[in-house]
Amino acid sequence: MKNDLKLRVYDVLARAFIQEEVRTCFALLGDANMNWAARLREQGCRMIYVRHEHCALASAMAYARKNRDVGVATVTCGPGVTQLITALPAAVRAHLPLVVFAGEAPLKSGWYNQELDQAPIITATGAAYHRLHMPERMPVAIRDAFLQARRERRPVVIGIPFDLQDRPWAGPDDLPKPSRELLPRPSPMPPHPEDVAKVAQLVAGAERVVVLAGLGAVEAGAGAACRALAAKTGGLLATTLPARGLFHDDPFCIGISGSYTPEVGIEYLKEADLVVAVGCSLAYHAGGGGQLWPKAKMLHVDIDPLAISQGQEVAKHHLRADARLGVEALTAAIPARDRKWRSDTMAARIRDSKPDSQVFEIEPGLLDPRDVVAALEKALPRDWEMVNSGGHCSWFFAQMPSRPQEKFLTIREFGAIGNGISFAMGVAAARPDRTVVLFDGDGSLMMHVQELETIRRHGLNILIVVLNDGAYGSEVHKLRSEGLPEEGSVFGYCDFAGIARGFGLAGRTFKTLDDLPKALSEFAASGRAAVWDFHVSDKVLSPTIRRAHPHPAKAKSG
Ligand SMILES: Cc1ncc(C[n+]2csc(CCOP(=O)(O)OP(=O)(O)O)c2C)c(N)n1
Ligand SMILES: [Mg+2]
């Protein structure tokens, strides 16, 4: 590299990223990253230029989850960096490996208007921040950032002053070995035989077993082992929300455990006397503390089994192991015997029951969100990639049980709305040969609606389905339950179809479900992204909101 007299630091930095096999980067340019980004692109990296830095990082998060690899984003210094602060905590809590190339203010200036002490802002989110101020060492530091992101499974933000990036390269000729070559690759951890013998007794003595799988089970390829354990114990299966669909074709899967559990599932979970939680963090929203299974003991099979999670006491029984190896060993260690819980009647009830049977009175001209989701479940092709967002509507969108886990993504760890569109872009970038369908609320979509332009410009194949209640539904229902005015949470039904058309996408408003087949064939024929806006009634309350925020009249009588 020394022979190349014109070589600048940013050229070498771009090479270091290419050597890390970075093939896609989500970017928003400014003074402090544009030279580097231009070199990265020149060297063959696909750049997706978004309209808000939050969306660059959020897209990279979905890309990382989908590809099980490091996601990469880039932002400029100062205001570019501060825009990342809602996405980073979610990435940290979701254990997503990310590397962000951020600029820093130039070191040579006494004053620079975008200057900011970036490190404490970033580290407050739980992400790592590395200031790179020694050009000759930068390629090694970048390699180490990738190594750290992979090993610790968390975001690493690299801050490089842009005057240093612009210097002639005076460092070593060769790039360091890439992180992949240095990463330890330990084999999956088998359980200790004594632990297996102990917990096998617990499982052998239980009558009503539920095997609950999380993303750890998905990653370890433990799906079949979980099914086998449930079959041998005559028990049932369930998943956490992110692992949804792992048992989609098993007649004894009651669906998601936690805030989204369907009616019949809640009934059966109440009867359970043992929950075997496999590869999950026993999160509060998954019922991890036992809220949904008051009679059950809990056994946690995990590489890092927990007794306390998110402030709650969780499992008292533990098996430390890789999810697949742990469950396989357990299944082998329990004797086969007849248990009377699982039955054909049960399978029929799971198959035929509505997720929620409560009756509501709905205004004419508006749809019941449950009917919309049931119709979509029937109509949408099974090979589409699905992305779920947050808000009240996410309860309804979670009720599509026929879809397999590998076609599903949601990242909900920081509880922020507004991420759906970026997650859909990340999945579309990771699966360019697929159609991606995003299920979102009107408030959430509106928060980053500018990305419709990114979707059009990059030709991303995304269908956005909005359950539009003309409101921040979650807030409306809570405000109503507390007898507070609805102001600030009700906005009316904005014209998403018109907005979509304004950005150059197709748009359609649904006031009846009869149009669905025609809309689907038009979408498929058009080959371009679209927004489908379903106007739904805000009178339909999800079971979760009914439980947590009962209507004032009902709260008094009950
Ligand atoms: C970034 C952020 N701001 C505010 C909130 C509070 N909040 C939670 S749900 C919600 C409403 C979401 O509205 P919408 O997307 O229309 O879904 P709905 O609840 O109406 O189904 C809001 C404002 C949040 N979770 N995240
Ligand atoms: Mg809404």
Side-chain angles (χ1 to χ4, degrees), residues 54-105:
H54 168 85
C55 303
L57 189 59
S59 299
M61 287 163 64
Y63 186 88
R65 164 69 56 81
K66 206 71 204 173
N67 276 354
R68 294 195 192 176
D69 199 1
V70 180
V72 173
T74 182
V75 298
T76 194
C77 61
V81 166
T82 52
Q83 303 270 43
L84 301 176
I85 302 309
T86 305
L88 279 172
V92 170
R93 292 166 201 204
H95 304 290
L96 293 168
L98 298 163
V99 172
V100 180
F101 182 100
E104 272 189 5

Side-chain angles (χ1 to χ4, degrees), residues 173-236:
D173 270 358
D174 298 321
L175 289 172
K177 259 193 195 164
S179 64
R180 263 181 216 286
E181 287 178 28
L182 298 173
L183 205 64
R185 298 202 187 283
S187 301
M189 186 196 296
H192 193 286
E194 280 174 23
D195 294 348
V196 176
K198 204 158 73 187
V199 295
Q201 276 186 3
L202 178 77
V203 180
E207 297 301 325
R208 295 174 174 212
V209 178
V210 174
V211 180
L212 164 62
L215 269 190
V218 174
E219 283 185 20
C226 290
R227 288 171 194 243
L229 177 61
K232 192 165 181 183
T233 56
L236 300 176

